[in-house]
Amino acid sequence: MIAALMISIGLIPLAQAQVPPANELAVQISNKSEPELCAERDNVALEFTSPEVRRFRLQAVHPAYIGTIAVDRWAPDFTSCDMSHDPNFKADNSRRVTFYETPDFWLTGYTFPSFWRPNTVPVRVGDRIEQGLHLIQVWMRHRERAEEVLVLYPPDGYWRARPMPFRDMRWTAYGSSFLIGPVEVQERPIVALKDIAFDPESKTFTLNFARGGQAKIKIETIDDERNVLDISYSGAMPNNLPFAAMRSMYTTQFNSDVAQVAWRTKGGAGWGEASIMNFQGASATELWAGRHVPSLHNLSAPDMVFGKFSSQPSR
């Protein structure tokens, strides 16, 4: 069912779905998810590891039921949540700044009153350098209005992506987060960044890692079906750390941002499927993580697809 769905919405070109490339690369996917009652805590954790990977594609795709949504849901649910022990670093000042802008594309940065990690990562666009940002937002003009399509948190390396609103919808929610680079645990999974640069002409972010090495995240395609990012690395991750991770939340199937996964093994005859909490991990060439049925939490949030893993730095 998942493979047919992915073909129908264009995630997998039909020819590729019928005859997978002989040289496609499989990576190890580990599931470190844990049970959780709090719907605002990221208890879902998938990690992607391979010393060979130099490139892959990540997609945020509207869920299969997106066309059935009459009334969206996105309000937070702090039932059964205790955030009192979370770390908290005060900022010198709160601010909002637009540090790159054209009529159709712009970057906005925020410094919050506090955050769980220090905000010490500089962000550069051309000759302009911004210090102390907790959040970077990417905005694009779509149907004569502004749409936020991608966010990055420089202090911990977390990203979120979403497509343009589907058809006549005015807005859709963010859901799962992802990490790009050597994923390590410092109280929680993070990617420690040395600095960030953005090239407006190619719409590419360059991440320099505190542990060494670099990744480039290119905004490939954004439309009202999917947000496609092309990601490449300068080399292998240090100490065989994961090169990427997905974080999300699951309390029950009806209160989740991710409830199911499907994966394709190299040379496999079909797709494997499992509920997120029962997924045992896999060596896979492609992975989908999302929901089959609507949820009380972030109803319109996108599914996530990781694939086209390659040992080649360019295609």
Side-chain angles (χ1 to χ4, degrees):
M1 182 183 75
I2 292 296
L5 170 63
M6 289 183 174
I7 294 170
S8 70
I9 63 176
L11 285 183
I12 310 172
L14 185 59
Q16 178 183 332
Q18 292 173 338
V19 184
N23 62 345
E24 64 180 351
L25 181 65
V27 305
Q28 186 62 41
I29 305 171
S30 302
N31 186 7
K32 297 189 176 181
S33 305
E34 298 178 344
E36 176 62 61
L37 294 175
C38 173
E40 298 305 316
R41 197 179 298 279
D42 282 347
N43 62 307
V44 171
L46 299 179
E47 294 183 349
F48 300 77
T49 306
S50 170
E52 300 178 65
V53 162
R54 297 296 181 271
R55 199 177 192 100
F56 79 100
R57 178 158 289 187
L58 189 152
Q59 301 184 66
V61 184
H62 286 308
Y65 57 77
I66 189 71
T68 70
I69 296 176
V71 179
D72 205 353
R73 291 176 174 175
W74 62 84
D77 176 9
F78 288 100
T79 306
S80 303
C81 295
D82 179 7
M83 306 295 193
S84 60
H85 300 294
D86 287 1
N88 191 13
F89 288 84
K90 301 296 182 183
D92 293 335
N93 62 308
S94 300
R95 64 188 179 115
R96 173 188 178 277
V97 58
T98 298
F99 57 99
Y100 175 79
E101 186 173 18
T102 69
D104 298 316
F105 187 95
W106 58 100
L107 300 183
T108 301
Y110 280 88
T111 298
F112 303 136
S114 63
F115 198 73
W116 83 276
R117 280 174 61 82
N119 53 329
T120 57
V121 179
V123 181
R124 177 174 57 83
V125 181
D127 295 330
R128 180 168 181 173
I129 297 177
E130 288 293 332
Q131 303 277 358
L133 297 179
H134 289 120
L135 172 66
I136 301 169
Q137 298 172 318
V138 177
W139 294 81
M140 297 180 69
R141 187 168 300 280
H142 178 67
R143 297 174 183 165
E144 302 305 316
R145 64 179 186 264
E147 297 292 350
E148 182 190 357
V149 294
L150 187 67
V151 297
L152 165 61
Y153 293 83
D156 56 16
Y158 277 70
W159 298 75
R160 282 182 171 177
R162 64 183 176 190
M164 297 296 185
F166 184 76
R167 301 300 186 261
D168 295 329
M169 296 180 71
R170 298 289 298 177
W171 186 87
T172 56
Y174 283 114
S176 302
S177 303
F178 55 93
L179 292 156
I180 302 299
V183 180
E184 58 184 300
V185 176
Q186 294 186 17
E187 296 187 55
R188 63 187 71 168
I190 68 157
V191 170
L193 299 175
K194 179 182 177 183
D195 56 59
I196 300 167
F198 181 74
D199 175 33
E201 184 175 350
S202 63
K203 292 185 172 57
T204 299
F205 285 91
T206 298
L207 310 181
N208 287 310
F209 304 124
R211 283 178 165 267
Q214 184 183 90
K216 292 183 180 294
I217 296 89
K218 176 179 172 58
I219 300 173
E220 188 69 35
T221 303
I222 300 181
D223 56 28
D224 63 0
E225 291 282 359
R226 75 204 75 237
N227 184 330
V228 182
L229 302 176
D230 188 62
I231 298 161
S232 60
Y233 299 95
S234 61
M237 299 296 102
N239 301 321
N240 202 33
L241 289 171
F243 63 85
M246 191 197 80
R247 302 296 309 283
S248 195
M249 60 74 59
Y250 175 94
T251 59
T252 62
Q253 180 158 313
F254 59 81
N255 193 10
S256 63
D257 285 353
V258 162
Q260 305 285 331
V261 292
W263 64 97
R264 185 168 61 85
T265 60
K266 185 171 183 177
W271 287 73
E273 296 183 75
S275 64
I276 184 63
M277 302 308 291
N278 293 328
F279 176 49
Q280 298 299 306
S283 175
T285 59
E286 199 163 1
L287 178 128
W288 167 91
R291 296 171 292 192
H292 293 166
V293 297
S295 166
L296 296 172
H297 197 265
N298 292 332
L299 175 60
S300 62
D303 301 341
M304 304 299 295
V305 182
F306 297 76
K308 292 194 174 182
F309 304 109
S310 173
S311 60
Q312 301 300 315
S314 61
R315 295 191 182 96

